[in-house]
Each structure stands twice: as C-alpha cells, then as structure tokens.
Amino acid sequence: MKQPTRQVSTKDSKDNPGSHLKSDIRIDQRKEQSEEEQKLKRNLDKIKHKIAIISGKGGVGKSTVTANLAMAFAMNGDKNKVGVLDADIHGPCIPKMLGLKGRTLIGGPDGLLSPVVGKLGIKVVSMDFLLPNDEAPVIWRGPLKMRAINQFLSDVAWGNLDYLFIDLPPGTGDEPLSIAQLIPDLDGVVIVTMPSEVSEAVVKKAVSFARQIDVPIIGIVENMSGFVCPECGAEVNIFRAGGGKRIAIDKSIPYLGSIPLDPNICSDSDKGLPFIAENKTSPATKIFFEIVRQIENFLQDKKPSERRR
Amino acid sequence: MKQPTRQVSTKDSKDNPGSHLKSDIRIDQRKEQSEEEQKLKRNLDKIKHKIAIISGKGGVGKSTVTANLAMAFAMNGDKNKVGVLDADIHGPCIPKMLGLKGRTLIGGPDGLLSPVVGKLGIKVVSMDFLLPNDEAPVIWRGPLKMRAINQFLSDVAWGNLDYLFIDLPPGTGDEPLSIAQLIPDLDGVVIVTMPSEVSEAVVKKAVSFARQIDVPIIGIVENMSGFVCPECGAEVNIFRAGGGKRIAIDKSIPYLGSIPLDPNICSDSDKGLPFIAENKTSPATKIFFEIVRQIENFLQDKKPSERRR
C-alpha cells in the first residue's frame, strides 16, 4: 500500500492507533485521488473543445486525418490554439506525420511536461516522444495504458487551447474507454472509415460504441476513396466505394466527406509534411477545409444543455 | 471469492474450521487452475504447429493474409487439418473473409465448443460468432480479453490439426501477450507490413516485441505492394515500395514475399471468398504458395532443441 503523503489526526487516535492509521491512509488516498482529479479538471477546463478521432479498424488513415485536421484548424485562424494527443500507445504515428520525430517531452519547473510544439504552434504529446528509438515496443497491458493517458491529459502544460484532437488506436478497448471516462465533456468523435465492406462492418461497431458510452458523433469521414491513375486518368476503386456514406445514411450520422486516395498524402505523411499544408489547392485539401467547416457548425449548434457536463 | 467445487478435509478441521476452510479454498483454487492449465495443454498438444500473424500497425491486411495462408495450407495437402483463431476481439474479420458470417459456436456434450467449419475443412473460432449482430461492439478492457482468448484455446474442440493460425490485432498489448503466455510452444510469428515508412517504423516495434518475448520470427510479408492500373497497365506505388524488404535485411529476418495490391483481393474478401481459391493462376496466388513453402521449410529446419518447450 502506498505511503500516505500527509496524515490526518483525529481526537482519539491514541486509543486505537492501528485502526486510525488505516482510516488516515484511506482519507489521504481519497485526498490524493481528488487532487489528481482536480489537476485533470483544471487542465481540461482550459481547452474549449475536445474531439476524439476513432475507427473500429486500423489502417484507415485515422492518424493522417487527425494530423491534417489539426493543421486545417490551425491554418483556419487557430494558430497556437490547437493540440494533438496521440493516444495510440503501441503505434504512435502523429510525431512522424507532423515532422516532429526525435523530439522529447521536457519537464518544466511547475512539475508539468511541456508538449512538443510543431508548425503553426500545434502542441503535440505522444508516447513516441518518450521512447529511446523507433524500434522500442511498448509491451503494456490495459491498466498501464490508462495511467499513461491520464498523465498525458493532467501532467502536461497544454495551456489555453481552442481544440484538442485525440488520435485513438483502433478498437473499443482500454484507450477509448479511458478517454471517455477521463474527459466527461468530450465534444464528440469523428469516425474515420474506408470504402471496403469488411471495414464497414467494423466501423458500425465504432458507431454503436460511441452511442453506448454516450459520446456525440460529429460525423463520418471516408478516407482513401476512388484512386485516379496518374498515368491515364482512369478512376479505379481499389477499395470498394461508398461504404462511409452508406453507414452515415443507415445510422443517421452526418457524412463529413470523402478524401481521395492520393499518393502524395502517403509520401507527405512519410516526410512529416501534413498534406494540406503542402498541397493547398488539391481536391483533398478542399475536402479537409469543408470538414473543418462542418465540425465548427456542429460545435456551434450544440447547445450548452447538450453538453455532458 | 469463488465457491470451491470440492473441499479437502484434513484431520484437525474440527478444531479450527475457519482457517481450514480458507486453506481448503486455496487448495481447490490451485487445483482448478491446474485443471484449466491441463485442459489447455491437452488441446494444444493435438495441434502440431501454431503460428501467429502479427503487425505493429492495423489495416495492413493481416486478416487477409491469415485467411489466404490458411486456405493455401489447406489446398496444399492439409485439408481438414487447418484451424484459424481470430484473436481480434474488437474487430474480428476472419469469418467475413472465409465466408462464414452469421454462423455461431455450438457447445458439444463434452462441454467443449465446436469450431465453425468452412471450406476445405478449415476450423474457425472468432468473437464474431458470439455476437448478436455486426454492429455490437465488444467494450472490454484487457483482463476480459485475456480470458476470452484462453477459452478460445482451451474450451474449443479443435481436434487434431497440422496448423493453427492465430490472427492477432495490431499493437503489442494484451492480446499478443496473452497468446505468447498461453502457447509456450508457439512455432513463431509471421509479421505483415505494408510499404509505407510510417508503417515501417511501427513494424520494427513488432520485430522488437517478438524478440523481447522470445518468440521466433518466421519472416516478413509485405502486403499491398505496387498497384497495376487495370486500364493502362502502369505500375503505381500508392504506398511507397520496398519497406518490408528493407526491414527484413536490416533486422536479418527472412523476407517471405510481396503481395501486390489487387482490387480482386479486396472485393473477394468482401464476398467471403479467399482470393487464392478464386484466382488460382494470379501472381498474388503464386506468392501465397511460395510463402507456404518458406513457412514449411522454416518448420522443418527448426530443430526440436530450438523449441521453447
């Protein structure tokens, strides 16, 4: 059992020191817990909007969407007011996609960690910043992951932000559950899917998950839609088209847009250049800004009474 | 505390019934645990080779590779001797890929569940067979997932198999750790990657993971390599090429092959037809059979002394 940091003395502690010690420890543990909770709340209160990016299935380009959305919001008038929490403990990709590989989290005099600051003042926290190298795996079961995510939220000097985007790993396990529990006023989730039926089936689980844990769904983004051959211009649906839209209609969820499969998105992500910053006039960039507009509308339409807290 | 199924009586139990009850419960719990372990061992002993399919990152086509590998082994002389355990609790895809959607696991008189049997006698167990519908998410933290995987191994009548392929979810968390602990004589892992650097970085974690938990690496498969435009025949690298081979050389791991990006693989998977059974002469099918040959060589070369048990 953890040593209490401070003991509460009660009037008859001399008569029965054993039992009082136990109750003192309990009181102190509760106090510590409540201090932790207050620290978390203080941090979260300074962030206007918290949006999680989820998908039932991996590899649908969730991190690409998160990185480009953060960049789009920062370009759209929120310079220095956007943060990204990479909550994928086992496979953190955000630092690479935002060109921040090799950076580390540094502690400040206030005991809080400073997030790494990227282009347009985007503040980023990721497990990747704590690993000795790219090859080091994080072999952790659920409870340790929950603790790490808690610390990323409460022990980081996020400061005053307009938007915090949280990139969650695939599935409906420990990480998304932890985020939903730790952030009671989460504005909502953006669900990313790709146009294949196998993925569609899994994404429906993500929709049910959000509804079961009572988190608003902002909408669905379909990533990697029709591919245009750069040689002949033929449009080929490598993955079958239209799954995202179908789910959106089927489930009465806003459809935010389809991002076309563009080899530049992949090569830019590999180079750490968010696609939309490098290709300002491309169709995919226009779609990202359209998604920004729809998210802003969602947040404006949301009445305070609909907030979960 | 769980009620013991049977109590061990000792000579002086009358004098101090409380303390004996406690020790009886402890003995019975140990007995139960050891019975569980024996049941697991009995089941696993009847399976000649156990191979897990892993990847650091999701969406690289791990389930597609697993389904087609199982089919390739079954076509290659192991009819009725191949099993697939879908250990992806949150996003089970194997039933859909093997055309077994809507089937359920049925209990037998021996108290064991019967796996669902597909084409060529492939035996399949998946969380999907236990869910009421496609949209039901499994909102479980780690310990529950560990328990489910344990039951899938020990409470299922797998029977005598030559090969059991285990499709693991991405990451290095609860599921792969559970498999490594529950199957001490795991023959090895096949690592699936795709040709993008972001994925490459994450896959290196999978390599380190396998080495840290002391599981042999059979080799790396690169999925979704160069795409050939069906209209003009131009080869386009949608994802950057060569990552899998680079990792294999860099890490001194056998390179098992590159599976080209073929729209038929995706549409066949969606229809529940394993690609190789439907396209027997395609280049991708030839590569799957080449991978089978290499896995067989790996298993033959492995001396008994190298086995972990």
Side-chain angles (χ1 to χ4, degrees), chain A residues 58 62-63 85-95 125-128 131 138 145 149 152 166-170 175, chain B residues 56-58 170-172 202 205:
Chain A
K62 205 174 8 64
S63 300
L85 168 56
D86 186 355
D88 192 339
I89 304 293
H90 298 304
C93 287
I94 291 288
V125 168
S126 170
M127 195 68 207
D128 187 67
L131 297 174
V138 177
K145 290 191 268 186
I149 290 173
F152 284 164
I166 301 150
D167 187 32
L168 282 166
E175 297 90 332
Chain B
K57 196 172 154 47
T172 50
V202 180
K205 289 185 199 293

Side-chain angles (χ1 to χ4, degrees), chain B residues 248-266:
Chain B
I249 293 168
D250 190 30
K251 297 277 147 199
S252 313
I253 292 166
Y255 183 63
L256 303 179
S258 277
I259 299 160
L261 193 59
D262 184 326
N264 286 333
I265 295 186
C266 181

Side-chain angles (χ1 to χ4, degrees), chain A residues 96 135 138 172 197 208 251, chain B residues 135 138 172 197 208 251:
Chain A
K96 172 128 195 163
E135 301 172 15
V138 177
T172 50
E197 260 190 32
S208 306
K251 297 278 150 201
Chain B
E135 301 172 14
V138 178
T172 50
E197 257 190 37
S208 307
K251 297 277 147 199

Side-chain angles (χ1 to χ4, degrees), chain A residues 139-157:
Chain A
I139 309 176
W140 285 358
R141 289 186 180 273
L144 271 178
K145 290 191 268 186
M146 167 98 176
R147 207 173 156 69
I149 290 173
N150 192 340
Q151 291 186 340
F152 284 164
L153 286 169
S154 56
D155 296 348
V156 166

Side-chain angles (χ1 to χ4, degrees), chain A residues 1-14:
Chain A
M1 195 173 272
K2 203 175 167 190
Q3 193 60 28
T5 49
R6 204 170 51 174
Q7 282 180 20
V8 180
S9 81
T10 53
K11 60 180 167 63
D12 47 9
S13 61
K14 275 179 214 151

Side-chain angles (χ1 to χ4, degrees), chain B residues 88-157:
Chain B
D88 191 339
I89 304 292
H90 299 303
C93 287
I94 291 289
K96 171 127 194 162
M97 288 182 175
L98 288 173
L100 301 170
K101 281 296 296 181
R103 304 280 296 273
T104 48
L105 295 177
I106 295 163
D110 51 359
L112 293 178
L113 289 165
S114 298
V116 170
V117 182
K119 281 172 199 150
L120 300 174
I122 295 176
K123 293 177 179 168
V124 182
V125 168
S126 169
M127 195 69 209
D128 187 66
F129 296 142
L130 299 168
L131 297 175
N133 59 58
D134 257 11
E135 301 172 14
V138 178
I139 310 177
W140 285 359
R141 289 187 180 273
L144 271 178
K145 292 192 267 184
M146 167 98 177
R147 207 170 157 71
I149 290 174
N150 192 340
Q151 291 185 342
F152 284 164
L153 287 169
S154 56
D155 295 348
V156 166

